[in-house]
């Protein structure tokens, strides 16, 4: 739907931070679960072959993840845009509420399906919105009505491990160093617990 935006996203420093601090972490987590036999085979196969296989496996994993996220965002955007442009909402720039349930790994730190959704939805809106009449106050906004505030991310019963924390506390953001502070991203908009969480799970109140 938005090929230029899909390609450009990989060059965005904020997305690169998300990739480094969240997306690829699951790949290494799965890689650490190799059995002893698999690890022995890797050693016997030679360093060059192992390095090549590892590189290919990582590239395949990365491609699969970003395509999955783009496909998920596209499916949600198609539904939201089609409903927003039909019925009582036609040409009112009034997006339809859509609720989606996804794995934590696909939405944490706002760089997965949820992070792609506004861009894809705007691309669809531009190609499907009906032309506005001259002087229509909504005409200047009809091509870009979805922004980051259009998507709300709620983590249900998050865990320290699920937020990629190395401590018993939840990790609430990425990008806390001086070089990445400009791209700092929260783990989600809200944290929702079925029951009161342990006091030592949340290091501080979120803004």
């Amino acid at each position: 739907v938005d090929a230029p935006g899909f390609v450009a996203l990989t060059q965005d420093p904020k997305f690169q931070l998300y990739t480094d601090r969240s997306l690829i972490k699951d790949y290494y987590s799965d890689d650490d679960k190799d059995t002893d036999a698999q690890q022995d085979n890797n050693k016997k196969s030679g360093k060059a072959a192992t390095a090549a296989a590892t590189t290919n496996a990582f590239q395949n994993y990365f491609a699969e993840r970003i395509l999955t996220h783009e496909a998920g965002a596209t499916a949600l955007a198609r539904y939201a845009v089609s409903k927003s442009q039909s019925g009582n909402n036609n040409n009112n720039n009034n997006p339809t509420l859509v609720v989606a349930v996804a794995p934590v790994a696909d939405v944490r730190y706002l760089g997965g399906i949820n992070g792609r959704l506004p861009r894809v939805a705007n691309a669809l809106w531009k190609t499907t919105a009906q032309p506005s009449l001259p002087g229509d106050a909504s005409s200047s906004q009809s091509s870009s009505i979805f922004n980051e505030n259009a998507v709300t991310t709620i983590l249900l019963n998050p865990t320290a491990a699920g937020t990629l924390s190395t401590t018993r506390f939840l990790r609430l953001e990425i990008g806390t160093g001086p070089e990445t502070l400009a791209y700092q991203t929260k783990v989600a908009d809200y944290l929702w617990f079925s029951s009161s969480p342990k006091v030592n799970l949340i290091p501080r109140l979120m803004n």
Side-chain angles (χ1 to χ4, degrees), residues 9 64 83 96 117 125 128 131 142 147 173 176 185 190 206:
L9 180 63
E64 186 271 336
K83 294 299 181 181
T96 295
L117 186 52
W125 190 270
T128 60
S142 61
N147 55 34
E173 64 275 307
T176 56
T185 308
Y190 299 97
M206 295 177 65

Side-chain angles (χ1 to χ4, degrees), residues 23-201:
L23 183 64
I24 66 175
K25 295 299 184 181
D26 292 310
Y27 169 78
Y28 290 116
S29 177
D30 291 339
D31 190 54
D32 290 340
K33 296 177 183 178
D34 284 349
T35 63
D36 292 338
Q38 288 173 319
Q39 293 177 1
D40 290 340
N41 288 335
N42 290 339
K43 293 178 181 178
K44 294 177 182 179
S45 64
K47 293 183 179 180
T50 301
T54 300
T55 300
N56 289 336
F58 173 77
Q59 291 176 342
N60 289 338
Y61 171 83
F62 179 75
E64 186 271 336
R65 285 290 82 204
I66 63 175
L67 287 174
T68 296
H69 291 168
E70 188 78 3
T74 300
L76 290 171
R78 286 188 188 279
Y79 181 85
V81 170
S82 66
K83 294 299 181 181
S84 298
Q85 295 176 347
S86 64
N88 295 330
N89 288 333
N90 194 31
N91 269 339
N92 285 336
N93 288 352
N94 185 22
T96 295
L97 174 65
V98 179
V99 178
V101 179
V104 171
D106 290 331
V107 295
R108 68 185 175 212
Y109 301 111
L110 314 182
I113 296 173
N114 45 353
R116 294 168 180 268
L117 186 52
R119 170 181 56 80
V120 176
N122 280 323
L124 281 170
W125 190 270
K126 291 178 182 179
T127 59
T128 60
Q130 297 180 8
S132 300
L133 295 174
D136 187 347
S138 66
S139 61
S140 61
Q141 302 174 359
S142 61
S143 63
S144 183
I145 68 168
F146 300 92
N147 55 34
E148 292 183 355
N149 294 328
V151 180
T152 299
T153 300
I154 304 172
L155 295 190
L156 304 179
N157 297 316
T159 63
T163 61
L164 304 176
S165 173
T166 57
T167 69
R168 67 177 183 272
F169 300 112
L170 294 176
R171 186 172 187 177
L172 300 182
E173 64 275 307
I174 54 175
T176 56
E179 296 180 354
T180 58
L181 192 60
Y183 312 112
Q184 186 176 95
T185 308
K186 58 191 174 183
V187 67
D189 295 301
Y190 299 97
L191 307 179
W192 189 315
F193 296 93
S194 299
S195 58
S196 297
K198 295 182 178 179
V199 176
N200 62 2
L201 182 63

